[in-house]
Amino acid sequence: MESAENELESLEYGLRPSYEEDYSDDVEPGAVAVTDPAAGAVVERGSRVLFSISVGPRYVEIPDVVGESEAEARDLLRAVGFTSVEIVQEHSSEHDPGTVLSSTPEVGEEGDREGEITLNVSEGTLVPSLVGMARADAVSALEGSRLRAGVVETPDDTAPEGEVIGQDPEPGTIAAEGREVVLTVSSGPVEGSDPEESDVEGGDGDAGSEPGSGDGGPNAVCSGQPWKEHKVYDDGDVVHYEGRFYEARWWVRGDPPSASGEWGPWADQGPC
């Protein structure tokens, strides 16, 4: 995509690029699939040129998720581009709570990345949505769901002290009773930082410790900045979102990291 921008700029006609994402069976993710106007078209100086960025094919094979935990199954589905997952709980005396029993479409079949994947999961406790809650309220909510709370604090320039900014496992996960849910809680702004600077475009990058370094997990600190819906991110920018690190594969704005995958603009770098 960067080379396409450079070529457009080299024409010196003041052409203005804009972007959208689209499926393509032939063009690799992150590359320009088509342009509007098309190549060879005659345009006026200063015209806008729309780049359609490939996110890969729309129909892909359902990975083998049967027997995996629900969280692992979600990760496998997300990695190949499925973002809408419905969970149906079933009684099973042979499987631990949260184990995937079957999927619709079935493993090996092709699924529509814009469609919904249904996972039939052995019964357990539903992990509530906790991001945005005060720490004490989130802990109480977990106790009411017969789950345990683990807490790790990290500086954050955009969330007030004590607010939950991430959780692992993610909301809607089926867990065994008594399982620990790790809450990432804001400890307030970094000392000496200017919160206004966090809104400057291109300011995310990979500040702080290397994302995903070491073993990661609940004791790791979410470095960099939280994802923001209206911010423009470039290739290599790093954010954290719902307790996980993500790195931008190409120019992106508005797409939440958790909705990405192998074919999307965000690369999951693991928990933080």
Side-chain angles (χ1 to χ4, degrees), residues 123-135:
E123 289 178 323
T125 301
L126 187 70
V127 176
S129 178
L130 305 163
V131 174
M133 297 176 65
R135 170 176 174 166

Side-chain angles (χ1 to χ4, degrees), residues 92-113:
S92 174
S93 59
E94 300 177 357
H95 298 86
D96 293 333
T99 302
V100 177
L101 306 176
S102 63
S103 68
T104 304
E106 295 182 358
V107 171
E109 293 183 345
E110 284 206 338
D112 183 351
R113 290 168 58 194

Side-chain angles (χ1 to χ4, degrees), residues 72-109:
E72 291 167 336
R74 285 180 182 270
D75 287 343
L76 288 170
L77 290 168
R78 189 180 292 127
V80 294
F82 295 106
T83 58
S84 181
V85 178
E86 180 184 6
I87 302 300
V88 176
Q89 294 199 59
E90 290 185 5
H91 174 71
S92 174
S93 59
E94 300 177 357
H95 298 86
D96 293 333
T99 302
V100 177
L101 306 176
S102 63
S103 68
T104 304
E106 295 182 358
V107 171
E109 293 183 345

Side-chain angles (χ1 to χ4, degrees), residues 198-270:
S198 65
D199 290 326
V200 178
E201 290 192 0
D204 279 59
D206 53 1
S209 60
E210 184 70 18
S213 62
D215 295 329
N219 294 322
V221 176
C222 286
S223 62
Q225 296 292 329
W227 173 78
K228 298 178 182 177
E229 182 178 3
H230 301 294
K231 183 175 176 58
V232 173
Y233 296 97
D234 291 316
D235 177 21
D237 284 349
V238 175
V239 299
H240 60 82
Y241 181 72
E242 295 187 347
R244 299 185 72 83
F245 282 119
Y246 295 89
E247 181 176 350
R249 292 191 174 106
W250 57 81
W251 181 98
V252 59
R253 180 176 63 186
D255 289 346
S258 63
S260 190
E262 179 182 358
W263 305 112
W266 293 103
D268 189 340
Q269 303 296 307

Side-chain angles (χ1 to χ4, degrees), residues 132-138 153 159-165 184-188:
M133 297 176 65
R135 170 176 174 166
D137 293 339
E153 294 188 345
E161 183 178 355
E163 180 177 303
V164 177
I165 58 176
T184 303
V185 177
S186 170
S187 60

